[in-house]
Amino acid sequence: MQKSLLSFMALRVSIILLYRRCRFFSGKFVVAFGAEVDVMAEDDTRRTFRIVGEDEADPAHGLIAPYSPLGDALLSAELGSIVEWRKPAGTVDLVIVAIRFP
């Protein structure tokens, strides 16, 4: 658990290098509709999600609706921030490691 937490925090510190690949809103790099977001959980698992319209949503393939629990947690979050994804099985903390707008 200690090693996982250390790598989780080290990754957060290194996020600054990814700023140039993000969209700039109101003086900050944030997640918005259409963004492709790379996140890392405390257990070092990484996933990529893309925020799409509700008619395109397919969570099994990483396509999430903006008003889903995960979409709601990610929208307006800044690069490097920790968001809480509230799931029926409990809350999962995710670090936003990259934001792209393909």
Side-chain angles (χ1 to χ4, degrees), residues 59-74:
H61 291 100
L63 303 173
I64 58 170
Y67 302 110
S68 66
L70 179 55
D72 188 46
L74 292 175

Side-chain angles (χ1 to χ4, degrees), residues 21-41:
R21 294 199 279 176
C22 301
R23 196 169 279 180
F24 198 63
F25 291 102
S26 303
K28 298 177 183 171
F29 296 98
V30 298
V31 177
F33 183 83
E36 195 170 88
V37 184
D38 294 345
V39 298
M40 188 169 100

Side-chain angles (χ1 to χ4, degrees), residues 33-84:
F33 183 83
E36 195 170 88
V37 184
D38 294 345
V39 298
M40 188 169 100
E42 290 179 347
D43 63 358
D44 291 337
T45 58
R46 295 182 119 184
R47 293 216 37 210
T48 300
F49 297 100
R50 185 163 183 211
I51 301 176
V52 298
E54 291 183 30
D55 57 329
E56 298 175 85
D58 184 359
H61 291 100
L63 303 173
I64 58 170
Y67 302 110
S68 66
L70 179 55
D72 188 46
L74 292 175
L75 282 174
S76 299
E78 297 177 30
L79 182 65
S81 64
I82 298 175
V83 297
E84 289 184 348

Side-chain angles (χ1 to χ4, degrees), residues 47 49 69-71 73 83-87 90-94:
R47 293 216 37 210
F49 297 100
L70 179 55
V83 297
E84 289 184 348
W85 177 15
R86 293 196 169 111
K87 299 169 58 173
T91 301
V92 176
D93 289 333
L94 303 171

